[in-house]
Amino acid sequence: MINQFLTKVFGTKNQRELKRLSKTVNEINELEKSISSLSDEALKAKTEEFKKRVNEGGETLDDLLPEAFAVAREAGKRVFNMRHFDVQLIGGIALYMGQIAEMKTGEGKTLVATLPVYLNSFLGKGTHVVTVNDYLARRDSEWMGKLYKFLGLKVGALQHDMTDQKRYEAYRADVIYGTNSEFGFDYLRDNMKYDFKHFVQNGHNFAIVDEVDSILIDEARTPLIISGPAEDSTDKYYIIDKVIPRLKKGNDYEIDEKARSVFLMEDGIPKVEGFLNISNLYEPQNMDILHHVNQALRAHALFKRDVDYVVKDGQVIIVDEFTGRLMFGRRYSDGLHQALEAKERVKIASENQTLATITLQNYFRLYEKLAGMTGTADTEAKEFWEIYKLPVMVIPPNRQLRRDELDDVIYGSLEEKFDEVVDEIKELNAMGRPVLVGTISIENSERLSKMLKKEMIPHHVLNAKHHEQEAEIVAQAGQEGSVTIATNMAGRGTDIILGEGVAKNGGLHIVGTERHEARRIDNQLRGRAGRQGDPGSSRFYLSLEDDLLRIFGSDRIKGMMSTFGMEKGQPIEHKWITKAIETAQKKVEAHNFDIRKHTLEYDDVMNKQREVIYDQRKKVLSGEDIEDTVFEMIEEVLDDLVENYCPKKTTYDRWDITSLEQALFSQFGLGIDLDKLPLDQMNPDSMFDLLHDKVKEAYKKKSEDLGQEMMNFHQRMIMLQVIDTRWKDHLLQMDHLKEGIGLRGYGQKDPLVEFKKEGYATFEDMIWRIKQESVRFIMVLQPVIDEEERKSSARQPMRSGLESSRGKQKPKKVKKIGRNDPCPCGSGKKYKKCCGA
């Protein structure tokens, strides 16, 4: 009651913030007359003037905001004949402040972004504008690029098939458009390279994320992963797949649809053991088999063809659950994709091993400043703040919303629901009103399409086609008599403009065939109608057989249905039903938030480790203090050897001199007869000092023979290869640890705490092994140098005998890389076309 009273008196926080920003808008408007009087050349010259005032005059971007926004607004008028509305100025200020601007569909979010991008360009650090697909990145860079170029800025756009050189050039622009995947994978790839010259990115200063809810929430459950083929055989997947159809649901295994999990029951375990001819499925040596049995169970029991994936051209292709698009090139991890391939009897691709990975949450946290735009963010405001520290500001529309949002209609069965949907489409089509039908799955869109074909109603179906085609078809969805069936997110980012005379007929009508797990996705579908004050309407048709109601709907909904009475073909339409469904959605949203937060908590452990490794790599790449670093590692490794074989508080006659000699040869390539030393006069410290001098002498001799430049080059290459090899193995180990750590909960232990403890111990062990192996390969290295190799050494990452010398005691010579050999940087290209170019 007190909160309601205070809100009435002082307004909401959002209203107070809008009122505060309106003062800045007034300042911008007051400048409009003087800015409009400038010639094109004088307006363009403002950009250089602003840059000097920031970089030489000591002014801040805050100081320049009103004037810079006024200049960008004037450029919009001259280039596009589009003047930023006052509410668009508020949206631009919110983005500049590092907030999420919630703006309704059709309010011109793409144009809004030009304001903070222009202002931020004065720093010369580049702004990343993140879009949901390659098509929009290209479209917006070309479209909005006209304004930026008019003001003297450079524009770049990342595309999936770009070369590294093109990417490098794109990142040097003032504004760079691209998808979250392109930005994220470029970051990972850069941190796998062997030369700073091959890095494409140049920092993470400011990012504006378009459709921010789709990228930072919907896609946040799937981390970005760069992987390489593992050595495992694929036969096991076919063998295990034959077992699953012999098991019975309810007797041998149980499904938890809410948690999207499946598990073996007591009766199922001996059956699996009998089929696979093993005595105990849960013995440590059989944990890998158990893992793949569980993945095969998931593939059969939880994943549906034409809903979660499709089979096309002999491949299993994932369907994006939010957009309905086919995700070419993406694969489920941990053997799940191979299990699906076995289930569908297609060729099984080799299992991949993670080489580099990062969650989208942790990638976007790299930016000094982050902002976003969307039509629907307020329902996820808590998550945006908790995960990204991004506040949400709801920007009022330029024109009042005229969309009629009708109550949900609910039927007993799917059949009744779809019959009614078709009837409504027929009725509206006869009136000439355009209809956009939103479906959750490809399966449902095809089902509806078949029904419309029987009724002879022309229509378009959008499910997993090219982005350009989607955009063109969606843009025409407002024409008279148009019927378009699309997955809920198809064509996102494209405005639907009403055809001539349609507005008088009621505008675009939206038909939702099922409620999504998130209210936000439903709101996005509704938001396709009623842009910029246009008329429109929306209605959702549901059934008790829909997944949301079947799995998450409470008994309360079913109780309501029986209270109101429900005959076949008879719908129920009531505000109580709509409210109960929204309550179910809130529960699912909270559950999905917990999943994303859980994923992030585990990745935060890896993130700290990743930062250490990537920082170490950059230090090695830069060559700074490389010799000092090597000496530090030598001292640590040598100290450990002396401590092991000549422990303190023991007399010399109890030292293990033979093992120490062997260790010195293995680790440093030194052949020393320690028995000839006056051991009775030595202690561990004097032994360390003597051996340290010997190792240092051998190191200096090697450095003199090779020359300091060549020695530094080989040290860098060796250390990078050791870091990359050990990091790859560590990622695999951490994946296995994460997979089994949940069982610790049965022992009254917090799995996350246990993961942190064991993860830290594993990481410490990896760091020690990196030091040991780096020292060993540097000390035993005896490369053969010819004149041609010496000339090219400054640019090529040479093999240092790292793999072949492991586990042997003799020094190994470096093998020269041929021009047609695979490049050691891991790009997959031939050496002559990559680092040797």
Side-chain angles (χ1 to χ4, degrees), residues 3 12 34 111 159 197 201 242 267 387 404 503 510 516 638 653 741 754 778 836:
N3 285 340
T12 64
S34 62
L111 186 64
Q159 297 289 288
K197 291 185 293 185
Q201 289 191 338
K242 293 176 183 177
D267 289 347
I387 303 299
D404 189 10
I510 303 293
H516 199 274
L638 184 59
D653 55 311
I741 205 75
E754 293 295 300
I778 288 169

Side-chain angles (χ1 to χ4, degrees), residues 148-371:
Y148 297 126
K149 290 172 184 174
F150 178 81
L151 291 171
L153 301 183
K154 293 180 180 178
V155 183
L158 301 174
Q159 297 289 288
H160 181 66
D161 54 355
M162 263 186 168
T163 63
D164 270 10
Q165 182 58 37
K166 292 289 185 185
R167 288 176 187 275
Y168 179 90
E169 292 166 6
Y171 277 110
R172 281 7 181 224
D174 296 293
V175 50
I176 307 100
Y177 286 85
T179 65
N180 56 292
S181 296
E182 294 303 316
F183 285 116
F185 282 127
D186 280 341
Y187 169 73
L188 291 176
R189 283 190 289 260
D190 274 356
N191 283 287
M192 296 172 69
K193 289 175 180 172
Y194 280 64
D195 196 320
F196 275 132
K197 291 185 293 185
H198 300 143
F199 277 45
V200 295
Q201 289 191 338
N202 60 343
H204 298 86
N205 177 45
F206 180 33
I208 296 177
V209 184
D210 195 8
E211 308 297 359
V212 66
D213 54 322
S214 174
I215 291 170
L216 295 192
I217 290 184
D218 295 340
E219 296 193 30
R221 276 192 278 180
T222 308
L224 301 175
I225 297 173
I226 293 178
S227 57
E231 303 274 329
D232 292 351
S233 166
T234 57
D235 293 344
K236 62 187 174 188
Y237 297 104
Y238 290 119
I239 295 167
I240 292 172
D241 184 75
K242 293 176 183 177
V243 174
I244 307 304
R246 305 181 189 183
L247 304 178
K248 292 182 180 178
K249 178 185 171 184
N251 292 329
D252 301 323
Y253 66 90
E254 193 60 70
I255 299 173
D256 184 344
E257 289 189 279
K258 285 188 180 182
R260 289 278 289 173
S261 64
V262 59
F263 52 90
L264 280 173
M265 297 178 71
E266 196 170 343
D267 289 347
I269 295 169
K271 287 187 180 179
V272 172
E273 290 170 344
F275 293 143
L276 296 179
N277 195 27
I278 56 177
S279 59
N280 185 349
L281 188 58
Y282 289 87
E283 283 184 354
Q285 65 265 32
N286 293 328
M287 293 307 286
D288 186 55
I289 296 173
L290 175 61
H291 167 73
H292 289 296
V293 168
N294 287 331
Q295 293 293 54
L297 269 173
R298 290 183 69 206
H300 280 266
L302 295 176
F303 286 76
K304 299 174 186 174
R305 183 168 176 167
D306 292 333
V307 176
D308 300 297
Y309 65 91
V310 298
V311 178
K312 187 175 182 181
D313 300 328
Q315 291 182 302
V316 171
I317 302 169
I318 300 171
V319 175
D320 189 317
E321 64 175 307
F322 300 104
T323 67
R325 295 192 180 101
L326 300 187
M327 301 171 76
F328 293 98
R330 291 271 191 99
R331 292 178 65 81
Y332 293 115
S333 60
D334 296 329
L336 176 58
H337 210 96
Q338 286 83 354
L340 288 168
E341 288 167 333
K343 170 188 170 184
E344 297 296 341
R345 297 292 185 269
V346 299
K347 184 181 177 182
I348 296 177
S350 298
E351 193 168 352
N352 288 333
Q353 181 178 345
T354 300
L355 302 178
T357 179
I358 192 170
T359 58
L360 286 175
Q361 292 104 317
N362 275 322
Y363 173 72
F364 281 106
R365 284 166 160 186
L366 293 171
Y367 286 90
E368 292 176 34
K369 186 165 68 174
L370 184 64

Side-chain angles (χ1 to χ4, degrees), residues 408-616:
D408 296 352
V409 179
I410 188 164
Y411 288 84
S413 69
L414 286 170
E415 185 182 355
E416 295 169 74
K417 177 182 76 172
F418 279 110
D419 285 343
E420 186 57 34
V421 167
V422 170
D423 287 344
E424 176 161 74
I425 293 171
K426 278 173 63 179
E427 185 180 332
L428 292 171
N429 187 250
M431 295 165 53
R433 275 191 73 181
V435 181
L436 176 64
V437 187
T439 64
I440 282 185
S441 67
I442 293 173
E443 183 182 42
N444 284 345
S445 64
E446 290 178 347
R447 175 178 185 169
L448 198 53
S449 177
K450 287 176 184 175
M451 294 174 74
L452 290 178
K453 282 177 183 175
K454 286 183 181 178
E455 298 292 337
M456 307 293 287
I457 298 175
H459 61 279
H460 290 288
V461 181
L462 289 182
N463 52 19
K465 295 191 177 180
H466 295 297
H467 303 310
E468 291 90 336
Q469 291 174 307
E470 283 187 8
E472 289 169 13
I473 294 171
V474 168
Q476 298 300 313
Q479 301 302 308
E480 184 179 356
S482 171
V483 177
T484 309
I485 303 171
T487 49
N488 285 353
M489 301 277 284
R492 189 170 180 180
T494 306
D495 277 350
I496 298 175
I497 299 173
L498 298 181
E500 192 175 341
V502 173
K504 295 177 183 177
N505 212 10
L508 177 67
H509 180 65
I510 303 293
V511 174
T513 59
E514 194 170 338
R515 285 279 203 155
H516 199 274
E517 287 183 356
R519 291 167 293 163
R520 183 172 37 82
I521 307 294
D522 296 339
N523 292 338
Q524 285 159 5
L525 180 61
R526 281 198 184 103
R528 309 309 288 269
R531 63 178 294 281
Q532 281 291 326
D534 285 341
S537 56
S538 67
R539 188 195 297 277
F540 278 82
Y541 287 84
L542 315 174
S543 85
L544 290 179
E545 294 178 352
D546 291 349
D547 285 346
L548 180 74
L549 300 186
R550 183 175 56 81
I551 300 171
F552 296 98
S554 64
D555 294 334
R556 187 181 169 204
I557 294 178
K558 294 173 184 174
M560 288 180 190
M561 307 307 295
S562 58
T563 300
F564 294 128
M566 195 156 190
E567 299 176 8
K568 186 173 174 61
Q570 183 68 36
I572 294 292
E573 183 178 353
H574 199 282
K575 289 189 188 320
W576 289 359
I577 297 289
T578 301
K579 191 171 182 182
I581 290 166
E582 286 190 358
T583 301
Q585 287 177 305
K586 286 178 184 177
K587 288 180 183 175
V588 183
E589 287 168 3
H591 175 67
N592 288 338
F593 176 34
D594 286 342
I595 291 173
R596 289 189 291 269
K597 196 172 179 181
H598 181 73
T599 300
L600 183 60
E601 285 171 342
Y602 278 85
D603 190 64
D604 279 343
V605 178
M606 290 300 302
N607 197 49
K608 291 181 177 68
Q609 298 178 0
R610 180 169 43 242
E611 287 173 1
V612 171
I613 289 295
Y614 286 179
D615 285 347
Q616 186 62 43

Side-chain angles (χ1 to χ4, degrees), residues 682-695:
M682 299 181 72
N683 58 36
D685 290 337
S686 60
M687 176 65 82
F688 173 84
D689 292 339
L690 183 145
L691 295 177
H692 182 263
D693 290 343
K694 294 282 186 186
V695 174

Side-chain angles (χ1 to χ4, degrees), residues 35-36 38-47 50 70-72 74-75 78 118 150-151:
I35 296 295
S36 297
L38 297 174
S39 66
D40 285 358
E41 286 304 312
L43 191 68
K44 191 173 185 176
K46 279 286 183 182
T47 302
F50 291 145
V71 168
E74 183 61 28
R78 298 188 189 187
Y118 178 59
F150 178 81
L151 291 171

